[in-house]
Amino acid sequence: MEKNTIILTASGDRDHAIMNIVASAFGNAGQKCSACSLLLVERSVYEDKNSQDKLKDAATSMKVGSVWEAGNVVGPMITNRNDKLLQALTLELGESWLVPPKFIDEKQYILAPTVKWGVKPGSYSFRTELFGPMLSVACIDNLQQGIELVNSLDYGLTSGLQSLDENEQKLWKDSILAGNLYINRGITGAIVNRQPFGGMKLSAFGGGVKAGGPNYCACLVKITDKPESNTDYKQSYPHAYEEEFAHARDINKLYGEQNAFRYLPLKNMVLRLFPGDSNEEAEMIALAAKLCHTPLTISFDPNDDRTTALSSTGCTLKKETFDEFLKTMRSYERIRTCGADIPMEVYEEAARRNKYIATAKPVKNGRVELIHYIKEQSISFEYHRYGSILDVPPVE
């Protein structure tokens, strides 16, 4: 489940923003994994009665009812026993209804668009994905506060910004922890190749490689070096990084909508070495992580001291027992091994901590190997409404 958020700042086009917000929150009865569940609004807009009325009017004007009537936009939910949604239909301290909940059918499968106002960080509706046509609205003092609140959530699938300020756009897209970002458009409706789909944090599955992206098929196969391979990884890795991983790109080049795909470094990573792992494999992994700007710690048992052999890698070297390593796994974004037999305790601890272990034996081909040390992000930016479609923003 996700908790996807749109931030609306004082620099946003309010009419356009509200159109995008209600489409993202209430389309498919709010049951898309990418649906907007939480709206963070900068104080001057939040307190503006005219903006409140426009959001209310937009929500209540959506046609609700049976899917057999083609004009209806919001149809039935898949269940009338959604306990999380039903709990959220009660107010906590300080909350009110901008648009109160209303079921339009006797069995309560069809809930009209509902807007809860004054939701506070930490409250049930703020942090819980409800999977229904209910939007929670909270007030923020500025964009930075909004970014911090979004990043404090456990999930990070889609996220949106409604702002015309170029500095706010840059701050937001370089700070927000989500896999699919949308600027000045709705946050649902990702298209294969155009907006490769997949999240970050608990919204990432495995290594977080995006469906519909250039690396997805690599997840479905096992790739190893041929025994006779003479590829020099010290040349292949830098070449692959420069050609594939170093620069954002927009391969679709649509007029009016920029769709950038880029790779980001991990916050940190740990390589756990076991006695059967070679120093050369550790050096390959260290070089790959360095090129991708992912800080790497190399962990090994005190009885398998690699300090001298790996001192030239520039990585943090850490002598620790196996039990000590298990306790520190939680502090890393991703775990790496060299593909040797891995004790089951590592998998069990990773499962408890929601950590991904890259277990593939390192290979010499950089286009394959460097995938383990990055995360992918898609940024969709609808810029045509605010100027000439010939004024294309730079791909970053």
Side-chain angles (χ1 to χ4, degrees):
M1 305 294 282
E2 314 299 334
K3 192 67 180 178
N4 307 301
T5 307
I6 292 177
I7 298 176
L8 170 58
T9 76
S11 299
D13 180 324
R14 300 180 191 184
D15 292 343
H16 190 60
I18 289 171
M19 177 186 72
N20 290 327
I21 290 163
V22 297
S24 301
F26 304 125
N28 294 89
Q31 296 174 114
K32 275 194 169 186
C33 61
S34 55
C36 176
S37 178
L38 179 64
L39 174 63
L40 305 181
V41 185
E42 192 166 0
R43 186 171 299 279
S44 62
V45 184
Y46 180 89
E47 295 177 347
D48 178 51
K49 183 63 166 56
N50 187 48
S51 297
Q52 295 176 27
D53 290 341
K54 287 183 176 181
L55 176 58
K56 180 178 180 179
D57 289 345
T60 55
S61 66
M62 301 184 80
K63 292 186 177 180
V64 185
S66 169
V67 294
W68 299 111
E69 297 179 21
N72 290 330
V73 177
V74 182
M77 299 180 289
I78 61 172
T79 179
N80 62 354
R81 297 182 180 180
N82 183 340
D83 293 338
K84 292 181 179 179
L85 176 63
L86 295 175
Q87 181 175 337
L89 295 182
T90 59
L91 296 174
E92 294 185 56
L93 184 65
E95 297 176 345
S96 61
W97 295 114
L98 183 68
V99 181
K102 179 183 178 183
F103 289 96
I104 69 167
D105 65 318
E106 183 179 345
K107 294 185 178 180
Q108 298 192 340
Y109 276 92
I110 305 177
L111 175 65
T114 302
V115 181
K116 180 181 280 191
W117 199 258
V119 174
K120 301 293 191 297
S123 69
Y124 185 83
S125 296
F126 191 98
R127 305 200 70 86
T128 307
E129 174 54 55
L130 307 175
F131 209 63
M134 179 179 144
L135 177 66
S136 301
V137 184
C139 179
I140 56 174
D141 293 325
N142 50 54
L143 176 59
Q144 183 60 50
Q145 183 189 29
I147 291 171
E148 292 170 0
L149 289 172
V150 173
N151 288 345
S152 73
L153 298 171
D154 293 331
Y155 295 90
L157 182 55
T158 66
S159 196
L161 173 70
Q162 299 289 325
S163 171
L164 306 183
D165 187 306
E166 293 180 358
N167 292 325
E168 288 189 343
Q169 294 167 4
K170 179 171 176 53
L171 171 65
W172 178 81
K173 73 179 183 179
D174 289 344
S175 305
I176 212 74
L177 299 178
N180 283 67
L181 308 186
Y182 299 92
I183 301 174
N184 293 328
R185 55 149 286 176
I187 66 172
T188 63
I191 297 173
V192 170
N193 180 264
R194 188 180 299 176
Q195 296 116 5
F197 195 68
M200 294 182 184
K201 299 184 287 186
L202 296 186
S203 297
F205 181 79
V209 173
K210 287 175 169 291
N215 304 304
Y216 187 65
C217 289
C219 300
L220 309 177
V221 295
K222 181 179 180 180
I223 303 175
T224 59
D225 287 324
K226 292 182 178 180
E228 66 275 17
S229 172
N230 59 4
T231 300
D232 183 355
Y233 76 88
K234 293 181 180 179
Q235 294 184 13
S236 177
Y237 287 9
H239 177 76
Y241 179 74
E242 181 60 29
E243 290 296 311
E244 172 65 25
F245 299 95
H247 308 288
R249 61 187 182 272
D250 179 1
I251 65 172
N252 292 275
K253 295 182 172 59
L254 302 176
Y255 282 119
E257 182 181 83
Q258 181 186 85
N259 291 289
F261 177 80
R262 66 181 183 179
Y263 299 96
L264 301 176
L266 303 175
K267 180 179 68 174
N268 55 22
M269 189 176 193
V270 63
L271 165 64
R272 178 63 180 186
L273 294 176
F274 296 96
D277 301 331
S278 70
N279 289 330
E280 184 182 26
E281 289 173 324
E283 290 168 352
M284 293 170 69
I285 292 171
L287 176 59
K290 180 180 179 181
L291 288 168
C292 294
H293 305 285
T294 290
L296 179 69
T297 295
I298 303 179
S299 168
F300 43 83
D301 193 273
N303 295 324
D304 182 30
D305 194 346
R306 310 289 184 108
T307 304
T308 302
L310 300 178
S311 60
S312 62
T313 62
C315 299
T316 300
L317 305 180
K318 192 172 184 181
K319 287 190 286 187
E320 56 187 351
T321 66
F322 181 67
D323 288 340
E324 290 171 337
F325 165 70
L326 292 178
K327 292 178 182 178
T328 61
M329 278 177 58
R330 65 181 180 276
S331 60
Y332 300 100
E333 186 170 358
R334 190 172 296 176
I335 317 299
R336 185 75 169 100
T337 68
C338 293
D341 291 334
I342 303 169
M344 183 56 64
E345 293 90 338
V346 177
Y347 293 106
E348 292 171 347
E349 181 64 17
R352 279 192 291 269
R353 302 295 181 179
N354 297 300
K355 302 295 181 181
Y356 169 62
I357 311 174
T359 60
K361 189 178 183 67
V363 296
K364 298 175 183 177
N365 185 297
R367 180 63 183 84
V368 175
E369 180 61 27
L370 267 60
I371 295 173
H372 297 301
Y373 311 92
I374 49 82
K375 49 192 174 185
E376 301 177 355
Q377 190 175 62
S378 302
I379 307 172
S380 188
F381 177 19
E382 186 179 284
Y383 63 86
H384 69 85
R385 191 173 181 306
Y386 315 108
S388 169
I389 61 172
L390 301 178
D391 186 19
V392 181
V395 180
E396 298 177 329

